[in-house]
Amino acid sequence: MKQVFALFSVLFVPIIGAIIVQRYLQSPSKIPTANINKHTFNIQVAKTPEEKEIGLSSKKSLDKNAGMLFPFEKPGYYAFWMKNMKFPIDIIYIRNGRIVKIHENVKPPTNANENPPIYNSSKPADTVLEINAGLSEKYNFKEKDLVKISNL
């Protein structure tokens, strides 16, 4: 009887473990994403006023298909600048899931004493997405393109 139980344990436990691992690997990712024209960006979400103020300025670079999302409670004219930024970005203003304005290849200041320009949207926006400079042009993003945000 002990041998049957031992044999059962040796076979059963690894099979159950494999099933659990397989189900875990197949479960949908909970990483927040933004999808525009079949291009998916893994995004970090700036939720608090402090996170929105710092933005990407604490990073030295951004992975190719990464970005930062700035959600706002209501549509408005939200200003962004490149203070303390270390790399160029594209700034995409969004309202109701559609692009309303894109500032392409926005460069950081050349020195710390420089007053960087302020970027805004020509229409109210409820969300802003920052991605690596040049990707909006490369992927041909345009105003009115649909933006799908997932896993917030």
mmCIF file of all heavy atoms in Angstrom, residues 70 72 74-81 91-96 98-104 106 117-129 143-144:
data_model
loop_
_atom_site.group_PDB
_atom_site.id
_atom_site.type_symbol
_atom_site.label_atom_id
_atom_site.label_comp_id
_atom_site.label_asym_id
_atom_site.label_seq_id
_atom_site.Cartn_x
_atom_site.Cartn_y
_atom_site.Cartn_z
ATOM 1 N N PHE A 70 -0.747 59.353 -18.494
ATOM 2 C CA PHE A 70 -1.196 60.354 -17.535
ATOM 3 C C PHE A 70 -2.713 60.501 -17.673
ATOM 4 O O PHE A 70 -3.199 61.257 -18.522
ATOM 5 C CB PHE A 70 -0.521 61.705 -17.816
ATOM 6 C CG PHE A 70 0.969 61.681 -17.732
ATOM 7 C CD1 PHE A 70 1.732 61.220 -18.797
ATOM 8 C CD2 PHE A 70 1.615 62.131 -16.590
ATOM 9 C CE1 PHE A 70 3.113 61.207 -18.726
ATOM 10 C CE2 PHE A 70 3.000 62.122 -16.512
ATOM 11 C CZ PHE A 70 3.763 61.656 -17.586
ATOM 12 N N PHE A 72 -6.412 61.830 -16.569
ATOM 13 C CA PHE A 72 -6.970 62.960 -15.832
ATOM 14 C C PHE A 72 -8.464 62.734 -15.629
ATOM 15 O O PHE A 72 -9.118 62.046 -16.415
ATOM 16 C CB PHE A 72 -6.709 64.268 -16.588
ATOM 17 C CG PHE A 72 -5.236 64.576 -16.718
ATOM 18 C CD1 PHE A 72 -4.542 64.262 -17.876
ATOM 19 C CD2 PHE A 72 -4.536 65.149 -15.657
ATOM 20 C CE1 PHE A 72 -3.185 64.521 -17.992
ATOM 21 C CE2 PHE A 72 -3.169 65.415 -15.767
ATOM 22 C CZ PHE A 72 -2.500 65.090 -16.944
ATOM 23 N N LYS A 74 -10.984 64.815 -15.807
ATOM 24 C CA LYS A 74 -11.880 65.464 -16.765
ATOM 25 C C LYS A 74 -11.045 66.065 -17.897
ATOM 26 O O LYS A 74 -9.853 66.367 -17.715
ATOM 27 C CB LYS A 74 -12.730 66.535 -16.088
ATOM 28 C CG LYS A 74 -11.942 67.660 -15.460
ATOM 29 C CD LYS A 74 -12.860 68.637 -14.755
ATOM 30 C CE LYS A 74 -12.014 69.767 -14.175
ATOM 31 N NZ LYS A 74 -12.815 70.766 -13.509
ATOM 32 N N PRO A 75 -11.648 66.253 -19.058
ATOM 33 C CA PRO A 75 -10.913 66.846 -20.179
ATOM 34 C C PRO A 75 -10.458 68.263 -19.857
ATOM 35 O O PRO A 75 -11.147 69.015 -19.165
ATOM 36 C CB PRO A 75 -11.939 66.850 -21.314
ATOM 37 C CG PRO A 75 -12.951 65.808 -20.930
ATOM 38 C CD PRO A 75 -12.992 65.832 -19.422
ATOM 39 N N GLY A 76 -9.275 68.603 -20.351
ATOM 40 C CA GLY A 76 -8.732 69.933 -20.143
ATOM 41 C C GLY A 76 -7.496 70.140 -20.999
ATOM 42 O O GLY A 76 -7.094 69.281 -21.783
ATOM 43 N N TYR A 77 -6.880 71.288 -20.829
ATOM 44 C CA TYR A 77 -5.662 71.651 -21.555
ATOM 45 C C TYR A 77 -4.478 71.450 -20.611
ATOM 46 O O TYR A 77 -4.088 72.365 -19.904
ATOM 47 C CB TYR A 77 -5.747 73.096 -22.045
ATOM 48 C CG TYR A 77 -6.839 73.295 -23.070
ATOM 49 C CD1 TYR A 77 -8.126 73.673 -22.687
ATOM 50 C CD2 TYR A 77 -6.592 73.079 -24.417
ATOM 51 C CE1 TYR A 77 -9.131 73.846 -23.631
ATOM 52 C CE2 TYR A 77 -7.580 73.244 -25.367
ATOM 53 C CZ TYR A 77 -8.846 73.629 -24.961
ATOM 54 O OH TYR A 77 -9.841 73.792 -25.898
ATOM 55 N N TYR A 78 -3.934 70.253 -20.591
ATOM 56 C CA TYR A 78 -2.878 69.889 -19.659
ATOM 57 C C TYR A 78 -1.511 70.179 -20.276
ATOM 58 O O TYR A 78 -1.194 69.703 -21.368
ATOM 59 C CB TYR A 78 -3.010 68.425 -19.242
ATOM 60 C CG TYR A 78 -4.317 68.177 -18.527
ATOM 61 C CD1 TYR A 78 -5.405 67.617 -19.184
ATOM 62 C CD2 TYR A 78 -4.485 68.562 -17.196
ATOM 63 C CE1 TYR A 78 -6.612 67.419 -18.534
ATOM 64 C CE2 TYR A 78 -5.689 68.362 -16.541
ATOM 65 C CZ TYR A 78 -6.748 67.801 -17.213
ATOM 66 O OH TYR A 78 -7.945 67.612 -16.568
ATOM 67 N N ALA A 79 -0.723 70.979 -19.553
ATOM 68 C CA ALA A 79 0.585 71.400 -20.046
ATOM 69 C C ALA A 79 1.678 70.419 -19.607
ATOM 70 O O ALA A 79 1.672 69.932 -18.484
ATOM 71 C CB ALA A 79 0.901 72.799 -19.521
ATOM 72 N N PHE A 80 2.609 70.167 -20.519
ATOM 73 C CA PHE A 80 3.763 69.308 -20.249
ATOM 74 C C PHE A 80 5.015 70.042 -20.678
ATOM 75 O O PHE A 80 4.991 70.848 -21.601
ATOM 76 C CB PHE A 80 3.649 67.988 -21.026
ATOM 77 C CG PHE A 80 2.679 67.018 -20.405
ATOM 78 C CD1 PHE A 80 1.316 67.242 -20.451
ATOM 79 C CD2 PHE A 80 3.144 65.881 -19.764
ATOM 80 C CE1 PHE A 80 0.429 66.352 -19.872
ATOM 81 C CE2 PHE A 80 2.261 64.984 -19.175
ATOM 82 C CZ PHE A 80 0.908 65.229 -19.233
ATOM 83 N N TRP A 81 6.107 69.745 -19.974
ATOM 84 C CA TRP A 81 7.398 70.288 -20.365
ATOM 85 C C TRP A 81 8.462 69.236 -20.146
ATOM 86 O O TRP A 81 8.193 68.181 -19.583
ATOM 87 C CB TRP A 81 7.705 71.588 -19.646
ATOM 88 C CG TRP A 81 7.852 71.507 -18.144
ATOM 89 C CD1 TRP A 81 7.558 70.462 -17.317
ATOM 90 C CD2 TRP A 81 8.341 72.530 -17.297
ATOM 91 N NE1 TRP A 81 7.819 70.786 -16.008
ATOM 92 C CE2 TRP A 81 8.312 72.051 -15.970
ATOM 93 C CE3 TRP A 81 8.802 73.814 -17.521
ATOM 94 C CZ2 TRP A 81 8.727 72.811 -14.887
ATOM 95 C CZ3 TRP A 81 9.213 74.569 -16.444
ATOM 96 C CH2 TRP A 81 9.175 74.069 -15.143
ATOM 97 N N ILE A 91 4.698 63.221 -27.411
ATOM 98 C CA ILE A 91 3.623 63.455 -26.442
ATOM 99 C C ILE A 91 2.299 63.358 -27.200
ATOM 100 O O ILE A 91 2.059 64.121 -28.131
ATOM 101 C CB ILE A 91 3.760 64.833 -25.758
ATOM 102 C CG1 ILE A 91 5.124 64.970 -25.085
ATOM 103 C CG2 ILE A 91 2.623 65.049 -24.755
ATOM 104 C CD1 ILE A 91 5.408 66.373 -24.542
ATOM 105 N N ILE A 92 1.466 62.403 -26.789
ATOM 106 C CA ILE A 92 0.207 62.138 -27.491
ATOM 107 C C ILE A 92 -0.961 62.490 -26.562
ATOM 108 O O ILE A 92 -1.129 61.884 -25.508
ATOM 109 C CB ILE A 92 0.119 60.658 -27.911
ATOM 110 C CG1 ILE A 92 1.314 60.298 -28.811
ATOM 111 C CG2 ILE A 92 -1.207 60.373 -28.607
ATOM 112 C CD1 ILE A 92 1.432 58.813 -29.105
ATOM 113 N N TYR A 93 -1.749 63.487 -26.974
ATOM 114 C CA TYR A 93 -2.937 63.889 -26.213
ATOM 115 C C TYR A 93 -4.140 63.097 -26.722
ATOM 116 O O TYR A 93 -4.337 62.963 -27.933
ATOM 117 C CB TYR A 93 -3.193 65.389 -26.379
ATOM 118 C CG TYR A 93 -2.203 66.243 -25.632
ATOM 119 C CD1 TYR A 93 -0.964 66.565 -26.184
ATOM 120 C CD2 TYR A 93 -2.491 66.733 -24.362
ATOM 121 C CE1 TYR A 93 -0.054 67.349 -25.502
ATOM 122 C CE2 TYR A 93 -1.586 67.522 -23.670
ATOM 123 C CZ TYR A 93 -0.370 67.822 -24.252
ATOM 124 O OH TYR A 93 0.534 68.594 -23.574
ATOM 125 N N ILE A 94 -4.944 62.596 -25.779
ATOM 126 C CA ILE A 94 -6.058 61.699 -26.099
ATOM 127 C C ILE A 94 -7.328 62.191 -25.406
ATOM 128 O O ILE A 94 -7.272 62.651 -24.265
ATOM 129 C CB ILE A 94 -5.732 60.268 -25.611
ATOM 130 C CG1 ILE A 94 -4.420 59.781 -26.244
ATOM 131 C CG2 ILE A 94 -6.875 59.312 -25.879
ATOM 132 C CD1 ILE A 94 -3.784 58.621 -25.503
ATOM 133 N N ARG A 95 -8.440 62.053 -26.099
ATOM 134 C CA ARG A 95 -9.745 62.334 -25.476
ATOM 135 C C ARG A 95 -10.740 61.284 -25.940
ATOM 136 O O ARG A 95 -10.861 61.033 -27.135
ATOM 137 C CB ARG A 95 -10.256 63.719 -25.835
ATOM 138 C CG ARG A 95 -11.617 63.971 -25.150
ATOM 139 C CD ARG A 95 -12.037 65.387 -25.192
ATOM 140 N NE ARG A 95 -13.279 65.539 -24.460
ATOM 141 C CZ ARG A 95 -13.974 66.643 -24.445
ATOM 142 N NH1 ARG A 95 -13.542 67.704 -25.098
ATOM 143 N NH2 ARG A 95 -15.094 66.722 -23.753
ATOM 144 N N ASN A 96 -11.415 60.685 -24.978
ATOM 145 C CA ASN A 96 -12.413 59.647 -25.273
ATOM 146 C C ASN A 96 -11.838 58.554 -26.177
ATOM 147 O O ASN A 96 -12.507 58.080 -27.100
ATOM 148 C CB ASN A 96 -13.667 60.260 -25.903
ATOM 149 C CG ASN A 96 -14.384 61.194 -24.966
ATOM 150 O OD1 ASN A 96 -14.368 61.015 -23.750
ATOM 151 N ND2 ASN A 96 -15.002 62.221 -25.522
ATOM 152 N N ARG A 98 -9.422 58.681 -28.406
ATOM 153 C CA ARG A 98 -8.956 59.103 -29.737
ATOM 154 C C ARG A 98 -7.850 60.154 -29.591
ATOM 155 O O ARG A 98 -7.907 61.016 -28.716
ATOM 156 C CB ARG A 98 -10.095 59.727 -30.544
ATOM 157 C CG ARG A 98 -11.217 58.771 -30.821
ATOM 158 C CD ARG A 98 -11.165 58.281 -32.223
ATOM 159 N NE ARG A 98 -12.245 57.334 -32.473
ATOM 160 C CZ ARG A 98 -12.144 56.360 -33.334
ATOM 161 N NH1 ARG A 98 -11.052 56.199 -34.035
ATOM 162 N NH2 ARG A 98 -13.146 55.529 -33.519
ATOM 163 N N ILE A 99 -6.867 60.082 -30.464
ATOM 164 C CA ILE A 99 -5.787 61.074 -30.458
ATOM 165 C C ILE A 99 -6.335 62.419 -30.906
ATOM 166 O O ILE A 99 -7.010 62.518 -31.939
ATOM 167 C CB ILE A 99 -4.626 60.638 -31.381
ATOM 168 C CG1 ILE A 99 -3.988 59.349 -30.852
ATOM 169 C CG2 ILE A 99 -3.589 61.761 -31.508
ATOM 170 C CD1 ILE A 99 -2.909 58.763 -31.760
ATOM 171 N N VAL A 100 -6.029 63.473 -30.113
ATOM 172 C CA VAL A 100 -6.447 64.831 -30.484
ATOM 173 C C VAL A 100 -5.248 65.714 -30.851
ATOM 174 O O VAL A 100 -5.415 66.725 -31.530
ATOM 175 C CB VAL A 100 -7.300 65.506 -29.391
ATOM 176 C CG1 VAL A 100 -8.614 64.764 -29.200
ATOM 177 C CG2 VAL A 100 -6.555 65.629 -28.075
ATOM 178 N N LYS A 101 -4.044 65.328 -30.426
ATOM 179 C CA LYS A 101 -2.850 66.131 -30.746
ATOM 180 C C LYS A 101 -1.610 65.280 -30.495
ATOM 181 O O LYS A 101 -1.564 64.504 -29.534
ATOM 182 C CB LYS A 101 -2.803 67.387 -29.859
ATOM 183 C CG LYS A 101 -1.574 68.250 -30.013
ATOM 184 C CD LYS A 101 -1.568 68.963 -31.338
ATOM 185 C CE LYS A 101 -0.359 69.886 -31.465
ATOM 186 N NZ LYS A 101 -0.209 70.433 -32.802
ATOM 187 N N ILE A 102 -0.597 65.431 -31.365
ATOM 188 C CA ILE A 102 0.685 64.759 -31.166
ATOM 189 C C ILE A 102 1.792 65.797 -31.295
ATOM 190 O O ILE A 102 1.872 66.520 -32.291
ATOM 191 C CB ILE A 102 0.923 63.653 -32.224
ATOM 192 C CG1 ILE A 102 -0.197 62.616 -32.199
ATOM 193 C CG2 ILE A 102 2.288 62.999 -31.987
ATOM 194 C CD1 ILE A 102 -0.121 61.595 -33.332
ATOM 195 N N HIS A 103 2.636 65.873 -30.267
ATOM 196 C CA HIS A 103 3.877 66.646 -30.348
ATOM 197 C C HIS A 103 4.981 65.624 -30.587
ATOM 198 O O HIS A 103 5.263 64.795 -29.725
ATOM 199 C CB HIS A 103 4.150 67.425 -29.059
ATOM 200 C CG HIS A 103 3.223 68.567 -28.841
ATOM 201 N ND1 HIS A 103 3.305 69.746 -29.546
ATOM 202 C CD2 HIS A 103 2.172 68.720 -27.986
ATOM 203 C CE1 HIS A 103 2.355 70.572 -29.140
ATOM 204 N NE2 HIS A 103 1.653 69.973 -28.196
ATOM 205 N N GLU A 104 5.588 65.676 -31.767
ATOM 206 C CA GLU A 104 6.595 64.683 -32.134
ATOM 207 C C GLU A 104 8.002 65.162 -31.805
ATOM 208 O O GLU A 104 8.321 66.349 -31.940
ATOM 209 C CB GLU A 104 6.500 64.364 -33.622
ATOM 210 C CG GLU A 104 5.204 63.681 -34.007
ATOM 211 C CD GLU A 104 5.139 63.324 -35.479
ATOM 212 O OE1 GLU A 104 6.119 63.558 -36.218
ATOM 213 O OE2 GLU A 104 4.100 62.799 -35.898
ATOM 214 N N VAL A 106 9.910 65.667 -29.153
ATOM 215 C CA VAL A 106 10.110 66.750 -28.185
ATOM 216 C C VAL A 106 11.426 66.479 -27.451
ATOM 217 O O VAL A 106 11.587 65.446 -26.814
ATOM 218 C CB VAL A 106 8.919 66.819 -27.200
ATOM 219 C CG1 VAL A 106 9.151 67.882 -26.153
ATOM 220 C CG2 VAL A 106 7.624 67.060 -27.963
ATOM 221 N N PRO A 117 10.353 74.715 -23.276
ATOM 222 C CA PRO A 117 9.031 75.130 -23.758
ATOM 223 C C PRO A 117 7.921 74.294 -23.103
ATOM 224 O O PRO A 117 8.164 73.185 -22.627
ATOM 225 C CB PRO A 117 9.072 74.842 -25.264
ATOM 226 C CG PRO A 117 10.385 74.252 -25.569
ATOM 227 C CD PRO A 117 11.178 74.151 -24.324
ATOM 228 N N ILE A 118 6.743 74.840 -23.113
ATOM 229 C CA ILE A 118 5.572 74.157 -22.569
ATOM 230 C C ILE A 118 4.738 73.640 -23.740
ATOM 231 O O ILE A 118 4.477 74.369 -24.698
ATOM 232 C CB ILE A 118 4.753 75.098 -21.674
ATOM 233 C CG1 ILE A 118 5.582 75.475 -20.447
ATOM 234 C CG2 ILE A 118 3.436 74.462 -21.263
ATOM 235 C CD1 ILE A 118 4.962 76.518 -19.554
ATOM 236 N N TYR A 119 4.342 72.372 -23.651
ATOM 237 C CA TYR A 119 3.554 71.741 -24.709
ATOM 238 C C TYR A 119 2.134 71.531 -24.216
ATOM 239 O O TYR A 119 1.918 71.143 -23.074
ATOM 240 C CB TYR A 119 4.183 70.408 -25.117
ATOM 241 C CG TYR A 119 5.559 70.603 -25.690
ATOM 242 C CD1 TYR A 119 6.680 70.591 -24.866
ATOM 243 C CD2 TYR A 119 5.735 70.849 -27.052
ATOM 244 C CE1 TYR A 119 7.943 70.806 -25.383
ATOM 245 C CE2 TYR A 119 7.002 71.068 -27.578
ATOM 246 C CZ TYR A 119 8.093 71.040 -26.735
ATOM 247 O OH TYR A 119 9.351 71.262 -27.253
ATOM 248 N N ASN A 120 1.187 71.794 -25.099
ATOM 249 C CA ASN A 120 -0.220 71.687 -24.757
ATOM 250 C C ASN A 120 -0.972 71.115 -25.946
ATOM 251 O O ASN A 120 -0.414 70.975 -27.029
ATOM 252 C CB ASN A 120 -0.762 73.069 -24.383
ATOM 253 C CG ASN A 120 -1.880 73.010 -23.380
ATOM 254 O OD1 ASN A 120 -2.713 72.110 -23.402
ATOM 255 N ND2 ASN A 120 -1.908 73.976 -22.483
ATOM 256 N N SER A 121 -2.227 70.847 -25.752
ATOM 257 C CA SER A 121 -3.075 70.352 -26.824
ATOM 258 C C SER A 121 -3.929 71.492 -27.355
ATOM 259 O O SER A 121 -4.276 72.415 -26.618
ATOM 260 C CB SER A 121 -3.973 69.234 -26.291
ATOM 261 O OG SER A 121 -4.835 68.781 -27.299
ATOM 262 N N SER A 122 -4.262 71.417 -28.625
ATOM 263 C CA SER A 122 -5.137 72.430 -29.213
ATOM 264 C C SER A 122 -6.608 72.138 -28.900
ATOM 265 O O SER A 122 -7.471 72.976 -29.125
ATOM 266 C CB SER A 122 -4.926 72.483 -30.723
ATOM 267 O OG SER A 122 -5.061 71.191 -31.275
ATOM 268 N N LYS A 123 -6.872 70.914 -28.372
ATOM 269 C CA LYS A 123 -8.219 70.514 -27.966
ATOM 270 C C LYS A 123 -8.122 69.903 -26.573
ATOM 271 O O LYS A 123 -7.077 69.381 -26.193
ATOM 272 C CB LYS A 123 -8.774 69.472 -28.935
ATOM 273 C CG LYS A 123 -8.908 69.971 -30.353
ATOM 274 C CD LYS A 123 -9.357 68.851 -31.266
ATOM 275 C CE LYS A 123 -9.396 69.341 -32.707
ATOM 276 N NZ LYS A 123 -9.616 68.239 -33.649
ATOM 277 N N PRO A 124 -9.216 69.936 -25.808
ATOM 278 C CA PRO A 124 -9.164 69.316 -24.482
ATOM 279 C C PRO A 124 -8.837 67.821 -24.587
ATOM 280 O O PRO A 124 -9.253 67.141 -25.520
ATOM 281 C CB PRO A 124 -10.586 69.508 -23.932
ATOM 282 C CG PRO A 124 -11.161 70.618 -24.731
ATOM 283 C CD PRO A 124 -10.517 70.538 -26.080
ATOM 284 N N ALA A 125 -8.068 67.337 -23.615
ATOM 285 C CA ALA A 125 -7.680 65.932 -23.551
ATOM 286 C C ALA A 125 -7.978 65.402 -22.153
ATOM 287 O O ALA A 125 -7.976 66.156 -21.188
ATOM 288 C CB ALA A 125 -6.196 65.776 -23.868
ATOM 289 N N ASP A 126 -8.229 64.091 -22.053
ATOM 290 C CA ASP A 126 -8.429 63.486 -20.739
ATOM 291 C C ASP A 126 -7.303 62.523 -20.377
ATOM 292 O O ASP A 126 -7.261 61.996 -19.274
ATOM 293 C CB ASP A 126 -9.795 62.795 -20.647
ATOM 294 C CG ASP A 126 -10.033 61.761 -21.736
ATOM 295 O OD1 ASP A 126 -9.066 61.184 -22.278
ATOM 296 O OD2 ASP A 126 -11.214 61.516 -22.062
ATOM 297 N N THR A 127 -6.392 62.297 -21.315
ATOM 298 C CA THR A 127 -5.282 61.372 -21.111
ATOM 299 C C THR A 127 -4.116 61.836 -21.967
ATOM 300 O O THR A 127 -4.322 62.367 -23.064
ATOM 301 C CB THR A 127 -5.686 59.941 -21.560
ATOM 302 O OG1 THR A 127 -6.896 59.564 -20.920
ATOM 303 C CG2 THR A 127 -4.613 58.929 -21.224
ATOM 304 N N VAL A 128 -2.903 61.608 -21.468
ATOM 305 C CA VAL A 128 -1.700 61.895 -22.250
ATOM 306 C C VAL A 128 -0.810 60.666 -22.196
ATOM 307 O O VAL A 128 -0.646 60.051 -21.135
ATOM 308 C CB VAL A 128 -0.949 63.141 -21.713
ATOM 309 C CG1 VAL A 128 0.355 63.361 -22.464
ATOM 310 C CG2 VAL A 128 -1.845 64.377 -21.818
ATOM 311 N N LEU A 129 -0.255 60.309 -23.342
ATOM 312 C CA LEU A 129 0.663 59.185 -23.445
ATOM 313 C C LEU A 129 2.000 59.693 -23.944
ATOM 314 O O LEU A 129 2.060 60.391 -24.954
ATOM 315 C CB LEU A 129 0.107 58.123 -24.409
ATOM 316 C CG LEU A 129 1.004 56.932 -24.726
ATOM 317 C CD1 LEU A 129 1.261 56.094 -23.475
ATOM 318 C CD2 LEU A 129 0.397 56.076 -25.829
ATOM 319 N N GLU A 143 -4.057 62.220 -35.707
ATOM 320 C CA GLU A 143 -5.220 62.658 -34.941
ATOM 321 C C GLU A 143 -6.415 61.800 -35.354
ATOM 322 O O GLU A 143 -6.531 61.398 -36.512
ATOM 323 C CB GLU A 143 -5.501 64.142 -35.180
ATOM 324 C CG GLU A 143 -4.475 65.037 -34.517
ATOM 325 C CD GLU A 143 -4.780 66.517 -34.666
ATOM 326 O OE1 GLU A 143 -5.932 66.882 -34.996
ATOM 327 O OE2 GLU A 143 -3.857 67.308 -34.461
ATOM 328 N N LYS A 144 -7.273 61.499 -34.407
ATOM 329 C CA LYS A 144 -8.483 60.686 -34.539
ATOM 330 C C LYS A 144 -8.208 59.182 -34.499
ATOM 331 O O LYS A 144 -9.150 58.396 -34.515
ATOM 332 C CB LYS A 144 -9.285 61.046 -35.773
ATOM 333 C CG LYS A 144 -9.785 62.490 -35.765
ATOM 334 C CD LYS A 144 -10.634 62.786 -36.951
ATOM 335 C CE LYS A 144 -11.053 64.253 -36.906
ATOM 336 N NZ LYS A 144 -11.794 64.651 -38.089
#
